[in-house]
Amino acid sequence: MMQTIDPSTGKKIKFYPQTKISQVDDILNNAQKSFHTWRLTPFKERAFLMKEAGRILRAKEKQYAELMAQEMGKPIFQGKGEIEKCAALCDFYADYAESFLCDRPIKTEAHKSFITYDPLGIILAVMPWNFPFWQVFRCAVPTLMAGNAVVLKHASNVCGSALAIESVFKEAGFPSALFSNVFVPSEKVKYLIEHPLIQAVSLTGSTGAGKSIAINAGGVLKKVVLELGGSDPYIILEDADLQNAVTKCVESRMINGGQSCISAKRFIVVASQFKKFEEKFVSRMQLQRMGNPLYEGVDLGPLARHDLRDGLHAQVKMSLKQGARLLLGGQVPKDKGAYYPPTVLTHVRAGMSAYKEELFGPVASLIKVRDEKQAIEVANDTVFGLGSAIFSGDLERAERLAHELQAGCCFINDFVKSDMRLPFGGIKGSGYGRELGEAGIKEFVNMKTVYIK
Ligand code: NAP
């Protein structure tokens, strides 16, 4: 049995029976049958169904936002935004999939030569709880539009969201089992990866899960896309517009209760700006309203699970023991929910938990550096490489420094966002492969060369 728990009260919501291995086999066989017709279905028809999925999402926005608030504590207004973003993604790939995947002629000495993009078959999507709808749609929409089938293994604490997503594709009229959910614990993922009908795997999750999935997929030579954790550095230089920097930094740190892979996590500030930044940052963090995620006006709900909240608090306590100083928060509220307050640590230095580990919650690490050279060194001194940002009034300087940062993206004078038009992904311990944009739809296709003499 899988069980969902409301993190704002600790109360059980619902039990879900696990999918038996024999049922998994049936689901995969059905998905394979649907794949054979779907791969030959014209883009126009695929696009029609995908737009329908977007329409259903918009019609049920409130219901799905409430479901996420209940299962993992996301404030209701953020949940509504997440559903709208999923719907917009359906429209985007419905409009552009065909042009992204049309045959590409290549001039050679042959009569005709070109690249064509064939679907692979059934793709396994192993997904996290932090954006229960967006992460799944981000993977599934381009993968389906490319002509594949998708089997979802969602995080165990968001079973209701998994079923809701499956029902969106069903109601939209996609072929039966083309998108299917399975309720299996993480130990059973190896069985799925090794199943002969699974062609490739996409994981969004922690570095530990990434290593395990990469090892299992490597054993059977199957392709993997890994979207893993991050500890995004935000560099604030002496010529930055401080008001803008503080606003963007706090917004990025606090989105989704700080439980985002691309949240700002380490704030690397040059010495001349440090004191002012620290004061403004703390004042702004204090404005965050913590409370029941179902109430409008709440910025910060509970964290998604009690064990995750306790783990975050242990990282804060360890960092303080290692010499960091607490400017705000840092206390577990006396509440049944998995709440954790906005927290600011300063004087964070190399070797501390808050410097080298991912803090997946509303905890900011402020790091003082001498100059831009040291800022880049500190920014790159991490096992991760997902997002990064630079705040500076000198755009040429910032652009030059963007090339020095070891990350999948660098945003200048703004916070890092996933944008469906742009490729998204990381390097180093943050994984490999890309989602979104043209790059995302080309991950699970066979780039086939055709040469006609
Ligand atoms: P997680 O514990 O790794 O879980 C993610 C998914 O992987 C869940 O479905 C989980 O199933 C499964 N899983 C866990 N361990 C596994 C294993 N050893 N083998 C196979 N499957 C396994 O991560 P999370 O706590 O849900 O999510 C937070 C992490 O995801 C953070 O590190 C965050 O930065 C990262 N993330 C990255 C991105 C990105 O785009 N780069 C986006 C969002 C989140 P169970 O729930 O059943 O354990």
Side-chain angles (χ1 to χ4, degrees):
M1 278 287 181
M2 325 273 275
Q3 181 185 64
T4 49
I5 291 173
D6 182 344
S8 61
T9 58
K11 288 191 181 142
K12 291 168 190 149
I13 309 172
K14 208 169 163 183
F15 286 104
Y16 296 85
Q18 280 187 23
T19 314
K20 294 189 193 113
I21 288 298
S22 60
Q23 293 170 314
V24 169
D25 293 342
D26 288 346
I27 287 169
L28 292 175
N29 283 325
N30 289 336
Q32 183 70 6
K33 275 187 208 136
S34 286
F35 163 67
H36 282 307
T37 46
W38 183 245
R39 58 185 276 273
L40 302 172
T41 303
F43 277 105
K44 213 167 156 212
E45 283 176 44
R46 294 182 202 167
F48 175 81
L49 297 179
M50 201 50 87
K51 291 232 170 183
E52 188 56 14
R55 191 196 59 74
I56 293 164
L57 283 165
R58 287 189 176 104
K60 298 189 178 174
E61 180 184 281
K62 184 165 176 284
Q63 179 188 332
Y64 293 156
E66 284 171 359
L67 178 60
M68 289 189 276
Q70 208 190 15
E71 288 195 323
M72 49 68 70
K74 190 185 301 283
I76 203 85
F77 78 94
Q78 294 184 18
K80 287 180 183 171
E82 180 169 336
I83 298 301
E84 170 50 36
K85 195 170 173 182
C86 293
L89 184 78
C90 294
D91 291 345
F92 174 78
Y93 278 110
D95 290 339
Y96 290 102
E98 186 168 12
S99 60
F100 288 153
L101 296 180
C102 62
D103 291 350
R104 262 193 59 209
I106 307 274
K107 210 169 162 30
T108 65
E109 64 287 348
H111 161 66
K112 186 178 177 187
S113 47
F114 60 97
I115 299 167
T116 193
Y117 301 94
D118 292 343
L120 296 179
I122 308 174
I123 310 302
L124 171 65
V126 182
M127 292 291 133
W129 48 263
N130 61 340
F131 292 92
F133 278 67
W134 170 247
Q135 302 294 3
V136 177
F137 277 84
R138 190 173 79 173
C139 166
V141 171
T143 303
L144 291 169
M145 281 305 296
N148 299 293
V150 173
V151 167
L152 168 67
K153 179 267 177 280
H154 215 330
S156 301
N157 55 329
V158 289
C159 295
S161 298
L163 286 183
I165 294 167
E166 189 182 47
S167 75
V168 169
F169 290 111
K170 212 169 169 179
E171 204 179 320
F174 280 79
S176 140
L178 193 73
F179 179 98
S180 304
N181 170 66
V182 291
F183 284 138
V184 293
S186 54
E187 309 84 68
K188 292 268 167 66
V189 169
K190 186 171 188 284
Y191 176 83
L192 285 164
I193 293 172
E194 291 176 350
H195 197 289
L197 289 179
I198 294 285
Q199 303 303 326
V201 190
S202 178
L203 164 76
T204 300
S206 59
T207 306
K211 283 182 189 165
S212 164
I213 283 179
I215 288 169
N216 291 328
V220 284
L221 293 177
K222 291 186 185 173
K223 180 174 177 173
V224 185
V225 167
L226 296 176
E227 298 285 358
L228 309 178
S231 184
D232 287 9
Y234 276 43
I235 294 176
I236 293 91
L237 295 171
E238 62 284 354
D239 55 6
D241 169 349
L242 212 54
Q243 201 52 49
N244 177 53
V246 169
T247 306
K248 297 285 165 59
C249 286
V250 170
E251 201 173 334
S252 175
R253 178 59 291 200
M254 294 305 294
I255 186 103
N256 207 39
Q259 303 163 113
S260 165
C261 53
I262 47 164
S263 270
K265 290 178 186 139
R266 293 175 297 138
F267 302 91
I268 302 165
V269 190
V270 291
S272 60
Q273 290 276 41
F274 192 78
K275 199 76 209 150
K276 274 187 274 172
F277 181 86
E278 204 180 57
E279 281 165 19
K280 286 180 190 289
F281 190 89
V282 171
S283 314
R284 195 139 189 129
M285 286 287 273
Q286 276 169 331
L287 299 178
Q288 296 287 315
R289 288 152 302 183
M290 187 165 77
N292 188 324
L294 285 167
Y295 296 161
E296 295 285 350
V298 163
D299 304 304
L300 175 63
L303 300 194
R305 297 195 316 247
H306 285 74
D307 60 309
L308 296 170
R309 190 274 308 274
D310 296 344
L312 180 70
H313 185 52
Q315 288 174 301
V316 169
K317 281 197 297 187
M318 177 54 77
S319 303
L320 294 174
K321 207 168 148 197
Q322 290 163 332
R325 286 196 224 150
L326 187 68
L327 294 179
L328 184 72
Q331 303 292 328
V332 175
K334 286 188 187 36
D335 194 293
K336 284 212 168 67
Y339 289 96
Y340 202 73
T343 295
V344 182
L345 297 171
T346 191
H347 290 265
V348 172
R349 285 190 301 275
M352 294 178 182
S353 286
Y355 181 97
K356 61 182 184 186
E357 295 165 8
E358 180 181 34
L359 297 178
F360 215 57
V363 181
S365 303
L366 308 193
I367 304 170
K368 194 193 314 191
V369 290
R370 271 189 321 273
D371 51 20
E372 74 169 43
K373 184 168 177 289
Q374 196 184 17
I376 297 290
E377 281 165 14
V378 170
N380 289 337
D381 185 20
T382 168
V383 294
F384 297 108
L386 194 55
S388 63
I390 299 172
F391 290 85
S392 167
D394 180 344
L395 297 186
E396 273 179 35
R397 177 191 190 193
E399 202 177 315
R400 170 176 56 80
L401 293 176
H403 290 285
E404 303 297 316
L405 287 170
Q406 297 160 3
C409 68
C410 179
F411 280 50
I412 293 166
N413 294 330
D414 204 351
F415 63 84
V416 176
K417 310 173 192 74
S418 58
D419 179 325
M420 55 199 75
R421 297 163 298 182
L422 301 171
F424 181 94
I427 58 167
K428 295 160 72 178
S430 295
Y432 43 78
R434 290 293 179 265
E435 290 190 301
L436 300 178
E438 185 170 343
I441 202 170
K442 288 190 169 154
E443 285 290 1
F444 297 120
V445 289
N446 172 18
M447 192 193 287
K448 185 191 280 174
T449 295
V450 181
Y451 185 94
I452 306 167
K453 195 74 183 166

